[in-house]
Amino acid sequence: MPSVLPLGDPAPADGMLPPQVLSGVEHRKFGLYVHIPFCAVRCGYCDFNTYTATELGGGASQDAYAETAISELQFAGTALDASGVPSRPLSTVFFGGGTPTLLPAEDLARILGAAVEKWGLEPGAEVTTEANPDSVTQESLKVLAEAGFTRVSFGMQSAVPHVLKVLDRTHTPSRVPLVVQWAREAGLSVSLDLIYGTPGESMADWQLSLETALSYAPDHISAYALIVEDGTKLAAQIRRGEVPGIDDDDHAAKYELADKLISESGLSWYEVSNWSRTPEQACQHNLAYWRGDDWWGIGPGAHSHMGGVRWWNVKHPTAYASRLASGSSPAAGRETLDSATREVERIMLEARLGTGLVVNALDAVGRHAMAGLIADGLVDPVAAFKGRLVLTLKGRLLADAVVRRILTD
């Protein structure tokens, strides 16, 4: 969750949503995102809305956070009911951060329990928490599993100590297989997050990280190219020449290696940066984002979406808690997307998916672009013949450029 909030219109203090959110609501799934904004240290590359204990000051205690989050859950239930939105069971729940598992497992369980009490869960619903390898114990993972969590996503990032050091990660590589084992014993599905392109990371380093992660037989792997965000510690280090900059060709070569090794291990790509062992083990929560379903985002800086209306909460935990304590919505602003904007966003997101875009749903510009995309090796011709625009490996490397051509060719 990027730390900079977008501009938008004022959000009503009562959280009421406009009637347009009711259109087609019965065809959209409903998910919940819970943002836990706390980290033990701030990683040098991170631009997310997170805070260490020393940055918080008074009024934003980690100890009180579960109750504050539950108060927003209650606010959300009241606002949705008052807006006439029919109650739907949660299809997915995702605890992200920050480091959610810095909170006691019992606190995470209480937040989940309050959500389930309000809305219920669909049968087989996916319930995920992110975690750092050094922020869980064998017992805490058992508590989470018993509370209804089904999946844990560990921020492994790399298996190479000097790469972890550049990223300011606090765990050691030897910790990862241990926590994966504990998660398995608790009955949790396991995802591993990796980052490639860190300054100073060689191709051999990246191959070692991939092979090491795959040796743990995860159900899911995410592999993200490192992006250097303005204002981060890493951006300053690169500007001062303390570490080398980012190389796009290096990123491309490392992505190709990732796809090769991950695919050979039996996982299949379903989104540009994500692979799963089976379709059911793909991250259903993220798929809901990419397909434009509804979700409510709990926590400071969290974003929500309902039927083309999008809103976002105030950033700082103290301001967030203060709004809720006064009975007001924590939303800082919102926007109502017009049909053209929603269509552009649909194309941008669905083009990244392994299932691709329905060609017949494209306008004349998009259909005209198809022949050139196929000729350039960016789109699978067999899938196109069957009426889907599906990116090739080369197309995934140039996904943003492909989208621009679909929209403007």
Side-chain angles (χ1 to χ4, degrees):
M1 181 187 302
S3 61
V4 177
L5 296 179
L7 299 174
D9 299 322
D14 59 7
M16 289 285 287
L17 297 171
Q20 78 166 67
V21 305
L22 302 178
S23 177
V25 66
E26 67 276 11
H27 302 301
R28 300 191 304 270
K29 290 184 177 293
F30 177 47
L32 181 73
Y33 172 76
V34 181
H35 186 61
I36 310 296
F38 308 116
C39 284
V41 300
R42 180 178 293 280
C43 296
Y45 62 91
C46 181
D47 185 43
F48 282 14
N49 187 41
T50 61
Y51 303 84
T52 64
T54 57
E55 293 174 322
L56 285 173
S61 166
Q62 291 186 31
D63 293 339
Y65 188 76
E67 287 303 321
T68 305
I70 289 170
S71 69
E72 189 183 357
L73 283 170
Q74 295 166 343
F75 181 91
T78 299
L80 290 174
D81 291 345
S83 300
V85 179
S87 183
R88 292 165 288 171
L90 296 168
S91 59
T92 63
V93 182
F94 195 101
F95 284 66
T99 307
T101 44
L102 277 185
L103 291 188
E106 292 79 7
D107 280 3
L108 301 181
R110 284 199 298 128
I111 297 170
L112 176 61
V116 173
E117 182 179 358
K118 173 58 188 173
W119 292 295
L121 285 175
E122 286 188 359
E126 174 192 273
V127 181
T128 301
T129 185
E130 294 180 330
N132 286 346
D134 55 1
S135 68
V136 297
T137 65
Q138 189 172 20
E139 182 57 33
S140 70
L141 290 169
K142 288 180 181 178
V143 170
L144 293 176
E146 290 169 358
F149 285 80
T150 64
R151 184 174 180 272
V152 59
S153 180
F154 288 118
M156 176 180 171
Q157 316 309 9
S158 175
V160 180
H162 77 83
V163 175
L164 292 172
K165 183 177 180 180
V166 173
L167 294 173
D168 290 325
R169 303 298 289 182
T170 57
H171 70 273
T172 60
S174 61
R175 179 77 174 178
V176 178
L178 184 61
V179 298
V180 169
Q181 177 185 339
W182 290 344
R184 295 262 189 234
E185 291 171 350
L188 296 167
S189 177
V190 174
S191 177
L192 297 176
D193 285 357
L194 298 173
I195 289 178
Y196 60 89
T198 299
E201 178 190 61
S202 68
M203 188 63 74
D205 291 334
W206 176 232
Q207 181 166 341
L208 175 62
S209 292
L210 286 166
E211 291 173 344
T212 301
L214 292 169
S215 74
Y216 306 144
D219 305 299
H220 183 281
I221 281 186
S222 298
Y224 299 110
L226 179 67
I227 298 174
V228 180
E229 302 286 358
D230 291 340
T232 60
K233 174 184 171 183
L234 183 58
Q237 289 174 315
I238 291 174
R239 187 172 60 250
R240 293 192 298 262
E242 297 171 3
V243 296
I246 300 301
D247 185 308
D248 290 341
D249 291 336
D250 176 68
H251 275 186
K254 286 175 177 172
Y255 180 85
E256 290 175 341
L257 179 63
D259 185 68
K260 176 179 183 295
L261 295 183
I262 296 172
S263 298
E264 288 175 353
S265 77
L267 284 78
S268 300
W269 84 273
Y270 68 93
E271 192 275 341
V272 168
S273 299
N274 292 275
W275 294 257
S276 63
R277 196 162 298 281
T278 68
E280 293 74 24
Q281 290 168 318
C283 182
Q284 300 304 312
H285 187 81
N286 284 344
L287 284 169
Y289 291 158
W290 297 324
R291 291 171 178 163
D293 284 335
D294 293 343
W295 72 89
W296 192 291
I298 299 291
H303 287 230
S304 304
H305 172 265
M306 195 79 57
V309 178
R310 189 158 51 207
W311 66 97
W312 45 91
N313 288 346
V314 293
K315 283 176 50 179
H316 199 279
T318 302
Y320 169 74
S322 177
R323 291 274 191 102
L324 287 165
S326 69
S328 294
S329 168
R334 82 178 186 191
E335 61 182 338
T336 300
L337 308 178
D338 59 30
S339 59
T341 301
R342 295 183 74 179
E343 179 64 11
V344 168
E345 291 191 0
R346 183 188 70 82
I347 291 171
M348 289 174 61
L349 295 171
E350 290 188 11
R352 297 176 61 88
L353 298 177
T355 50
L357 284 163
V358 177
V359 174
N360 286 343
L362 296 175
D363 62 13
V365 171
R367 292 194 298 272
H368 181 266
M370 283 288 292
L373 293 169
I374 293 171
D376 291 341
L378 301 174
V379 168
D380 183 345
V382 175
F385 179 76
K386 296 178 180 179
R388 309 288 302 193
L389 186 154
V390 176
L391 300 179
T392 62
L393 176 58
K394 180 181 177 183
R396 282 183 261 158
L397 289 168
L398 300 170
D400 291 343
V402 170
V403 169
R404 285 195 295 272
R405 288 176 61 175
I406 294 170
L407 295 173
T408 63
D409 190 50

